Amino acid sequence: MDRNEILKKIWPKVRRKHFFPEIPMPVIEECDDRVAIAMRNKQIILNPAFFDQLDGQISDEEVIEGLLDHGISHYTYCPWDFKTHLSIYTASKKVIKDKAMAKMATRIFTDVVADTHCVKEIDTPLPSIYRHLKKGVVENFTAALYQSIWGMDLRAKGHAQIPRNLKSLPYLAKKEWEESAKKFARAIESFLLDLKKAAEKSLSNQPGDAPGNENPTSFTICSHDLDSFSPEEIEAGLKEFAENVEDIEEFKESVGDILEELEDAGYPVMGRGKGKGLDADILYYMKLAESYHMPIKKLPMKKSGNLHPHSHLPWEIGSPVQEIDVWTSFGKIMPGITKVWERKEGEILGDMDSTPDCVLVIDSSASMINPREDLSYAVLGAGCACDAYLRNGARVGVYNFSDAMMGNKALLDYSDKRDEVYSVLCKYFSGGTALSLKDIAAFLEGSDKPDVFIITDMKITNLGNLINYLKKIDNRVTAVYIGESQHVARFKRSLSDEGNINIYAVDKKEDIPKIVLGKVREYMGSR
């Protein structure tokens, strides 16, 4: 039977075994020469060259079924999603500092988990495939490990040399995967180092020299790259990973290692360009900010000044005749029957029902945390404000300052591009702390009465000038301070009675969602 026909016949059976996963019909077509299967956008691709390696030893039906079991198990069990993939890689990288070796450890570990799940939970021909597979160094190591875990003869060499602790790891305990991945990486580090040395030696070999210990005819069952995840899944995984990592350095190290692969997988990564590196710092704050939603108060509707019919009242002698509603009074002027209109002032919606633009004023002086080294509440808070305004259809401008009078500042005109805003928010100048009121005034003139969001520790040399300036404007101002000091006390004391200015403290991440943007005690002025 033609292999495509076999695939069509077996596919429903395999889907049933794995509880009908939502993935497209697999295909058989040429892919990487030494990979049995690949996955692109959730579709399993079977390499026809792999069948020839097993011809006469195992039927095509068994090969197709086993490969599908392997591919689907990666999708439905391990790594399951992008966040899990990234977490397992991060755990491996904590033990093995070399990026390529950590990626290989992650690949082997997820293979072991996915295949062991198949063998323990369903009826699968995977052991037959591994038994007859022409094995290279990695494939022989994996088969030897499987031989220990599964208790089956897979014709693997070096079975006795498998580290004992690898045989007893709880591969099917999902909650322990990260810890298991660390132990796994530690146990195979010397094996991977030998593999790396052999690969480096093969690259330096002269023609005719043996290419290390690798078997040039061997096939890897599955390649592990990020093409199997959609941009939407990567987006969700990065957000969840940012929420759960210990600090920004951990995020930068793990995500920074794969940024180029993310872009190749279709995820839009900013910062690429000739001579320009990829920026995981900005990506960290963008993803983390999505978890902290700030509410925005809508602007009140203003009165039109015109009176409009609103409801009916009974007519009384002496009431204005011109207010009589002849249609509801049946043409009669009689107490109890005749109705007159009660009028009320109308309200204008228009742009009053929208969210104004906002200028984000952020302090990046030496007294503030460097956002590229540690989690900066200033950048995270300003990022959350950015997201809130952009979600409501407004634009955001940025004024990032340290010693602005000396040129230590970065300005971004009003924009609806999230990556542009975060790029300026993440700049860190260090140095002194002084802002230019002319710069802020230019922002306020550049839009129709925009909101102001300022976040700082208030240790500003011209704080008095800022306080006086804020007293003169009637824009809605959200002022956020970090840490207590005499400067903060002065700012709060001077502006606490201003109805258009609301002041918040941020001492921890959980304080950020408590900030209400554009909150006023009394509407100041009209638009």
Side-chain angles (χ1 to χ4, degrees):
M1 185 183 298
D2 178 79
R3 286 172 181 160
N4 286 301
E5 293 300 318
I6 295 173
L7 176 61
K8 292 177 183 178
K9 174 185 174 183
I10 290 178
W11 178 235
K13 172 189 173 182
V14 176
R15 288 191 70 225
R16 189 180 306 109
K17 283 198 296 181
H18 293 271
F19 302 102
F20 301 97
E22 291 295 327
I23 58 178
M25 175 73 185
V27 296
I28 300 176
E29 62 181 44
E30 295 290 340
C31 54
D32 188 300
D33 288 343
R34 296 190 59 244
V35 175
I37 68 173
M39 289 191 73
R40 298 289 183 272
N41 298 319
K42 297 293 175 289
Q43 186 176 46
I44 296 174
I45 302 170
L46 306 182
N47 189 349
F50 182 74
F51 291 84
D52 299 333
Q53 297 292 311
L54 300 169
D55 190 33
Q57 303 176 72
I58 179 173
S59 68
D60 284 354
E61 288 83 351
E62 289 178 292
V63 176
I64 291 174
E65 183 177 348
L67 294 182
L68 293 180
D69 283 337
H70 178 94
I72 293 175
S73 187
H74 273 305
Y75 174 70
T76 61
Y77 191 72
C78 183
W80 170 264
D81 60 12
F82 180 67
K83 184 261 180 182
T84 304
H85 175 94
L86 203 51
S87 297
I88 292 174
Y89 171 74
T90 302
S92 301
K93 186 74 182 293
K94 287 179 179 179
V95 176
I96 303 176
K97 302 306 179 183
D98 182 90
K99 179 171 70 172
M101 289 169 58
K103 288 182 178 181
M104 177 63 79
T106 301
R107 196 207 93 185
I108 298 174
F109 179 81
T110 55
D111 268 349
V112 173
V113 173
D115 286 340
T116 301
H117 168 70
C118 286
V119 171
K120 299 293 184 182
E121 301 296 331
I122 63 174
D123 180 24
T124 178
L126 265 174
S128 294
I129 293 178
Y130 281 106
R131 184 176 298 114
H132 297 292
L133 179 66
K134 290 182 180 179
K135 302 173 182 66
V137 176
V138 175
E139 291 71 38
N140 184 77
F141 175 86
T142 306
L145 177 57
Y146 289 162
Q147 198 162 303
S148 300
I149 299 172
W150 302 347
M152 302 176 182
D153 179 15
L154 301 180
R155 300 177 186 173
K157 300 176 183 178
H159 166 253
Q161 281 71 52
I162 294 296
R164 181 175 300 176
N165 65 326
L166 288 185
K167 304 173 187 178
S168 58
L169 285 178
Y171 293 105
L172 302 187
K174 291 186 177 184
K175 292 182 179 180
E176 300 180 43
W177 279 349
E178 289 182 46
E179 190 60 34
S180 294
K182 290 180 187 177
K183 295 177 181 178
F184 189 89
R186 189 173 291 112
I188 70 170
E189 184 173 11
S190 60
F191 165 75
L192 294 177
L193 185 58
D194 290 342
L195 199 66
K196 180 181 179 182
K197 290 178 180 178
E200 291 173 347
K201 182 179 179 181
S202 69
L203 290 176
S204 61
N205 281 338
Q206 296 298 318
D209 289 347
N213 296 324
E214 187 59 273
N215 179 352
T217 64
S218 65
F219 268 70
T220 298
I221 291 293
C222 183
S223 66
H224 291 291
D225 52 41
L226 302 185
D227 286 352
S228 57
F229 300 104
S230 69
E232 293 75 22
E233 289 173 312
I234 293 174
E235 183 89 17
L238 287 172
K239 175 178 176 292
E240 191 175 356
F241 185 67
E243 292 171 4
N244 289 279
V245 293
E246 295 178 2
D247 53 43
I248 186 173
E249 287 299 329
E250 186 174 333
F251 183 94
K252 285 168 57 178
E253 184 171 357
S254 296
V255 177
D257 286 348
I258 60 170
L259 277 175
E260 192 168 351
E261 294 173 51
L262 287 177
E263 189 173 54
D264 291 341
Y267 182 78
V269 177
M270 76 211 128
R272 283 186 65 79
K274 190 173 182 179
K276 189 174 183 180
L278 300 175
D279 200 337
D281 309 77
I282 297 172
L283 194 57
Y284 173 73
Y285 287 102
M286 289 179 71
K287 295 295 103 188
L288 190 57
E290 293 176 7
S291 304
Y292 300 91
H293 291 272
M294 288 183 184
I296 298 180
K297 288 287 185 181
K298 294 291 185 179
L299 288 164
M301 295 181 293
K302 61 182 180 181
K303 301 294 183 179
S304 68
N306 299 318
L307 296 177
H308 300 278
H310 180 262
S311 59
H312 288 104
L313 291 175
W315 176 79
E316 298 175 352
I317 296 175
S319 297
V321 177
Q322 63 269 23
E323 294 299 331
I324 293 175
D325 183 0
V326 296
W327 301 105
T328 59
S329 302
F330 306 105
K332 301 180 183 295
I333 302 179
M334 297 176 61
I337 296 178
T338 305
K339 306 292 184 183
V340 296
W341 282 110
E342 178 188 24
R343 294 178 179 268
K344 287 190 176 182
E345 187 176 5
E347 295 176 321
I348 296 176
L349 294 175
D351 64 353
M352 294 299 294
D353 198 33
S354 64
T355 302
D357 293 334
C358 180
V359 53
L360 305 177
V361 181
I362 183 170
D363 180 353
S364 65
S365 62
S367 60
M368 303 292 286
I369 288 176
N370 184 340
R372 297 181 182 275
E373 295 179 354
D374 296 291
L375 174 60
S376 165
Y377 295 155
V379 173
L380 180 58
C384 291
C386 161
D387 284 7
Y389 281 94
L390 294 185
R391 280 198 309 271
N392 282 272
R395 300 174 303 161
V396 174
V398 182
Y399 180 56
N400 183 330
F401 73 96
S402 171
D403 192 346
M405 309 305 181
M406 299 299 294
N408 292 334
K409 60 184 179 180
L411 286 72
L412 175 70
D413 200 4
Y414 293 102
S415 171
D416 58 2
K417 302 293 189 300
R418 194 162 173 257
D419 56 342
E420 293 180 354
V421 174
Y422 275 83
S423 294
V424 180
L425 288 179
C426 285
K427 289 183 182 297
Y428 184 70
F429 290 104
S430 187
T433 316
L435 45 72
S436 168
L437 298 179
K438 290 183 179 179
D439 289 337
I440 296 178
F443 272 107
L444 301 191
E445 293 170 1
S447 182
D448 183 16
K449 204 169 186 181
D451 288 349
V452 177
F453 180 92
I454 180 168
I455 188 162
T456 173
D457 60 7
M458 298 295 174
K459 297 175 184 178
I460 302 172
T461 54
N462 56 345
L463 182 62
N465 293 340
L466 174 63
I467 290 171
N468 292 331
Y469 181 79
L470 294 179
K471 283 183 176 181
K472 295 177 183 178
I473 64 175
D474 61 358
N475 301 69
R476 304 190 305 179
V477 178
T478 304
V480 180
Y481 66 88
I482 297 171
E484 296 290 345
S485 67
Q486 60 180 354
H487 309 282
V488 169
R490 178 186 177 190
F491 187 88
K492 290 164 66 177
R493 184 174 60 251
S494 302
L495 296 173
S496 59
D497 293 334
E498 300 296 323
N500 61 322
I501 300 175
N502 271 267
I503 304 171
Y504 298 89
V506 170
D507 296 314
K508 52 186 181 297
K509 288 188 292 186
E510 290 71 25
D511 292 333
I512 290 175
K514 300 175 184 176
I515 298 170
V516 180
L517 301 165
K519 184 179 179 182
V520 293
R521 289 182 291 280
E522 179 182 354
Y523 184 58
M524 309 296 293
S526 59
R527 290 170 58 87

